[in-house]
Amino acid sequence: MIAFTAAEIAEITHGRLDADAGITPASVVTDSREATAGSLYVAKRGEHADGHDFVAAAFDNGATLVLAERAVAGPDGVNFPAVLVQDAVLAMGKLAAEAVRRIRAARLAEGDALTVIGITGSAGKTTTKDLLAGILARHGSTVAPQGSYNGEVGVPLTVFRAGTDTRYLVIEMGATGIGHIRYLADMVTPDIGVVLCVGTAHAGEFGGVENIARAKGELLEALPDTGTAIINLDDDRVAAMRARTRATVVGFTADGHREAAVLAARPDTNALGNPEFDLILPGGEPDLHVSSRLIGSHHTGNLLAAAAAAFAAGIPGPEIAASLSSQTAASRWRMERTERPDGVTIINDAYNANPESMRAALRTLADLGRGRRTWAVLGAMLELGPDSIREHTAVGTQVVRLNISRLVVVGREARALYVSAVQEGSWGDECVFAETPDEAYELLSAELEPGDLVLFKSSNSVGLRHLGDRIALPPAPVPATEGRELP
């Protein structure tokens, strides 16, 4: 982390110093439980809790300074050392922006550079971020988000993990409205921007898909003339963004788009569902083959995006291909495969869900499940606005047309999915509705058999990822009877 004194923090954030000016935090946290010796605790107001209520706990764990919106007194009646600001989250952003500026200046003074890569899209951000970070880490100190830190809090927390030795800073950017990505881009000033796709996730919040496209394109608008814009030419809305940037545009395609500079030639998937293709990069470097260890053909686009960004950052083609071929999923609950000892295979892809990723996961289930009994355990796709019933209905229809053996729909918010599957011809025990994950757990525990392949997919807050974890555990052994007859 870049070292800031309390006095500097107050100046950068336009806050009021209520602490020893020389206090210099060693880390930044927004969760009091994560505070350690020397932490700066940011007391932000959340949807369900107010961080100011946990200031004392943060100091008990070792925090030495709080960035807060009001003073908080300890048990002795004395205020905890603080920098007081109007908005703690915006103050975090200002501090992160200054950290990036200082890292750039320090590296430039040493004749080197910091390369910042921003990644956005309605799906695939975290996988692409993980792949890209895996490539870059072999060439220099690389900082990338933990999990899916991609918003106005997560991006600063990622920045605060970087220091003057950081060569590559990979930033995942999410948004729920117009202007959000512009705010994040202004904070980190990316050199390379990657736009993966424009889907219907959060369509309700944005007010339509076109507004989602407008928001994602803000990343490309923020790039400098010397930057590089990586765009998915297989998505028409993303392809149209080339007119919104001054940067050099590099397009990628998994579908043979003629204008692409980075493409997958002869794409295929192996028996395990892993994408394979010949990687074509600008300059036509020959004999680059990628045999990925990720699951699902839909990851081909993510692999190409990571390859294009790494190439733009100066990484040689053979090293890009070798790294992409060696990496497994780095973040949890994203097509995460578990083989149970009894022969049941679990694919847990329930970190998030939208219509595009739901369709891709179901196609992968169908492809992998030939000759096996397949289960789709599905929950709601949230934040779709007025399109929610239509999109859930379409997924239910798709499950039946893909000949998925069994469908378990969990939760009332996904009931339209269940109804559409029944109407499409999935009857009897082929399609079951469960009110709760616990109810689904009892059903699956009783009916799964060796050889079954089970997919879990839902939006994050539905919680099916935890159900998938429970089912992935091997079943408890049957207690020995010691020769006694069972009733």
Side-chain angles (χ1 to χ4, degrees):
M1 175 181 169
I2 294 297
F4 295 105
T5 66
E8 289 176 315
I9 293 171
E11 181 180 4
I12 293 163
T13 62
H14 306 295
R16 179 169 64 84
L17 182 62
D18 188 14
D20 183 334
I23 294 175
T24 304
S27 64
V28 181
V29 298
T30 58
D31 187 329
S32 63
R33 295 166 295 185
E34 297 175 359
T36 56
S39 290
L40 167 65
Y41 171 60
V42 181
K44 66 181 184 68
R45 300 177 188 272
E47 185 177 348
H48 304 293
D50 184 347
H52 296 80
D53 296 336
F54 303 95
V55 171
F59 276 81
D60 285 344
N61 289 333
T64 55
L65 185 69
V66 60
L67 185 63
E69 295 171 11
R70 58 179 170 82
V72 176
D76 57 1
V78 177
N79 290 343
F80 287 105
V83 173
L84 302 176
V85 295
Q86 286 190 333
D87 187 309
V89 172
L90 293 181
M92 280 182 75
K94 292 175 182 176
L95 200 59
E98 177 61 16
V100 172
R101 191 195 68 78
R102 291 192 185 189
I103 295 170
R104 285 195 187 277
R107 294 197 65 85
L108 185 61
E110 296 177 0
D112 204 346
L114 169 71
T115 300
V116 181
I117 304 104
I119 301 171
T120 193
S122 297
K125 295 186 293 297
T126 299
T127 297
T128 302
K129 171 265 297 183
D130 289 337
L131 291 168
L132 178 58
I135 299 169
L136 298 176
R138 301 184 181 192
H139 287 265
S141 176
T142 301
V143 172
Q146 298 173 330
S148 291
Y149 277 15
N150 61 22
E152 58 186 1
V153 172
V155 170
L157 288 176
T158 299
V159 170
F160 294 141
R161 292 173 42 230
T164 56
D165 63 336
T166 301
R167 175 66 182 86
Y168 303 103
L169 179 58
V170 182
I171 298 294
E172 182 179 331
M173 296 182 178
T176 55
I178 301 297
H180 292 182
I181 290 177
R182 164 62 73 176
Y183 169 75
L184 299 176
D186 287 345
M187 183 190 305
V188 300
T189 58
D191 305 287
I192 300 169
V194 182
V195 183
L196 299 169
C197 60
V198 174
T200 52
H202 305 292
E205 293 177 285
F206 275 93
V209 177
E210 293 307 321
N211 280 340
I212 297 175
R214 180 181 165 194
K216 301 302 182 187
E218 291 170 358
L219 172 57
L220 304 187
E221 292 173 346
L223 295 173
D225 294 349
T226 55
T228 304
I230 309 295
I231 64 172
N232 180 7
L233 296 182
D234 298 333
D235 185 307
D236 291 340
R237 291 187 176 91
V238 177
M241 293 179 190
R242 71 184 72 200
R244 296 174 60 179
T245 184
R246 303 164 294 160
T248 299
V249 175
V250 175
F252 66 89
T253 180
D255 198 28
H257 199 290
R258 291 183 180 180
E259 298 177 45
V262 176
L263 65 139
R266 293 171 288 281
D268 200 358
T269 54
N270 62 23
L272 295 176
N274 307 130
E276 298 183 345
F277 55 89
D278 293 331
L279 175 62
I280 309 299
L281 293 171
E285 194 165 1
D287 302 323
L288 298 179
H289 184 73
V290 172
S291 182
S292 175
R293 298 171 67 186
L294 303 180
I295 301 173
S297 59
H298 59 287
H299 281 308
T300 299
N302 300 329
L303 292 156
L304 289 171
F311 188 82
I315 309 302
E319 297 186 34
I320 294 172
S323 180
L324 292 178
S325 296
S326 68
Q327 294 189 56
T328 56
S331 296
R332 292 217 57 205
W333 305 302
R334 292 164 176 85
M335 298 303 285
E336 183 178 65
R337 182 172 185 151
T338 303
E339 299 288 349
R340 284 192 350 189
D342 63 350
V344 173
T345 301
I346 308 298
I347 298 179
N348 193 336
D349 193 38
Y351 184 82
N352 218 334
N354 56 51
E356 294 77 21
S357 66
M358 186 73 84
R359 287 192 289 268
L362 288 169
R363 286 194 298 269
T364 298
L365 175 65
D367 290 342
L368 290 176
R370 291 168 185 162
R372 306 178 67 175
R373 188 168 68 155
T374 51
W375 293 72
V377 184
L378 308 180
M381 302 174 288
L382 303 177
E383 299 165 343
L384 296 179
D387 294 331
S388 180
I389 292 178
R390 177 173 59 83
E391 294 289 4
H392 283 89
T393 297
V395 169
T397 301
Q398 183 192 18
V399 170
V400 179
R401 293 181 180 179
L402 286 173
N403 293 315
I404 305 300
S405 309
R406 299 287 301 273
L407 170 65
V408 180
V409 179
V410 184
R412 288 195 171 275
E413 290 173 305
R415 189 168 179 84
L417 197 162
Y418 167 77
V419 171
S420 69
V422 171
Q423 291 176 340
E424 187 67 19
S426 185
W427 301 320
D429 64 359
E430 292 179 352
C431 181
V432 178
F433 177 76
E435 290 277 359
T436 66
D438 285 343
E439 187 179 327
Y441 176 80
E442 295 301 325
L443 169 71
L444 293 166
S445 297
E447 298 194 19
L448 287 178
E449 299 175 356
D452 285 358
L453 176 62
V454 192
L455 169 72
F456 293 85
K457 184 75 173 169
S458 73
S459 283
N460 191 296
S461 60
V462 175
L464 291 198
R465 65 193 187 282
H466 302 306
L467 173 61
D469 283 347
R470 292 174 69 190
I471 294 296
L473 295 172
V478 177
T481 63
E482 298 182 348
R484 293 181 290 109
E485 277 192 32
L486 296 177

